[in-house]
Amino acid sequence: GGGGAGGPGGAAAQSDASKGTSTAQVKREPGSVAGGGGAATAHGHGHGAAMGDRRPGEKKGFVEEMRFVAMRMHTREQAPKEGKAEPAKEAKPMAQWQPTKEGYLRFLVESKAVYDAMEDIVASGASPMYGDFVDTGLERAEGLAKDIEWFCETYGMDAPVADGPGAEYADFLRDISKTSPPEFICHFYNVYFAHSAGGRMIGRKVSEMILDGKELQFYRWDKPGGLEAMMTRTKAKLNDAAEKWSREEKDRCLEETGKSFELSGKLLRLIA
């Protein structure tokens, strides 16, 4: 789901993986179910070796480096082969989740603030590299707007104002996108790719629990080629962008992973 650590979603990956349905997906991308101690382990991924040493995944391209760091921030429950993080104190096992419509609507509204910021930033030209990430097909703000409208009409609810963790994350992204593009790219990667993996599992579970199985637009990728093609193209663009960075810039990007997990985790905890 929306990427991130300390979220209540830790067991979402586990419960699906235990049925054998999504294990490969859980391992392959950073799940939004990264329930581990993202904040606590922001620099716990141990790549502070001498600059001449190769980073894990480096020879496959920079996206693989980002994926490796993100996967280590999962718990062993979520990612049995690569997870290293301790479960966050705030993370509830999925069996204990009691999502509410109010909490989920708030999660959608706050998530939209983050995706609006992401889309505004890449369109802003604040860095020359951002233009490549306009219209990847992974954008979520338009779908979220439709979901929020559907939610309010179907359940007679009023959408709250985004003034919580999503608004906080959006402000953070707008600042960092101007001061450090490599650090912004870390958040871009983790938010979009986690949503496509663990985020979908969380969405499905919550929908079964409180929305009669309704599939929201937030979890649909309907453009030609589907999600896999969009992700493949975006990974190639991320690798190309990072080719122009120094090793120090790449390491700054990797070291931002913990922050992205921390901020995304606050969003997830709105659900249950």
Side-chain angles (χ1 to χ4, degrees), residues 71 85 205-206 210 219 240:
M71 293 310 297
K205 298 251 180 255
V206 173
I210 61 172
Y219 305 102
D240 287 348

Side-chain angles (χ1 to χ4, degrees), residues 208-224:
E208 286 166 4
M209 291 171 88
I210 61 172
L211 304 180
D212 298 319
K214 162 83 174 174
E215 184 183 36
L216 298 181
Q217 294 295 316
F218 192 25
Y219 305 102
R220 292 181 62 97
W221 290 263
D222 292 331
K223 294 199 176 173

Side-chain angles (χ1 to χ4, degrees), residues 3-7 33-45 69-70 72-75 78 84-91 254-266 269:
V33 293
T41 58
H43 292 83
H45 44 80
V69 172
R72 286 177 63 115
M73 290 196 181
H74 288 62
T75 63
Q78 297 155 5
K84 302 278 188 208
E86 292 297 315
K89 288 190 290 291
E90 306 91 334
L254 296 176
E255 285 165 5
E256 192 67 14
T257 309
K259 186 72 176 176
S260 85
F261 274 45
E262 176 195 345
L263 293 172
S264 294
K266 289 181 181 177
R269 286 196 289 276

Side-chain angles (χ1 to χ4, degrees), residues 126-221:
S127 165
M129 79 176 72
Y130 293 160
D132 282 343
F133 300 101
V134 174
D135 200 23
T136 60
L138 298 175
E139 292 78 20
R140 299 290 89 195
E142 186 182 338
L144 279 164
K146 290 176 183 168
D147 290 336
I148 291 163
E149 186 181 354
W150 172 84
F151 220 107
C152 294
E153 285 176 4
T154 305
Y155 298 112
M157 295 166 70
D158 293 321
V161 174
D163 59 3
E168 173 198 338
Y169 197 175
D171 288 344
F172 175 86
L173 290 169
R174 288 191 172 96
D175 289 343
I176 206 170
S177 68
K178 298 186 190 93
T179 58
S180 181
E183 290 176 45
F184 169 73
I185 290 294
C186 175
H187 291 269
F188 181 93
Y189 165 75
N190 278 292
V191 167
Y192 282 110
F193 281 66
H195 180 65
S196 73
R200 279 194 293 175
M201 278 185 268
I202 289 174
R204 191 167 65 242
K205 298 251 180 255
V206 173
S207 180
E208 286 166 4
M209 291 171 88
I210 61 172
L211 304 180
D212 298 319
K214 162 83 174 174
E215 184 183 36
L216 298 181
Q217 294 295 316
F218 192 25
Y219 305 102
R220 292 181 62 97
W221 290 263

Side-chain angles (χ1 to χ4, degrees), residues 114-130:
V114 174
Y115 287 99
D116 279 336
M118 291 275 192
E119 291 174 33
D120 291 348
I121 287 163
V122 295
S124 71
S127 165
M129 79 176 72
Y130 293 160

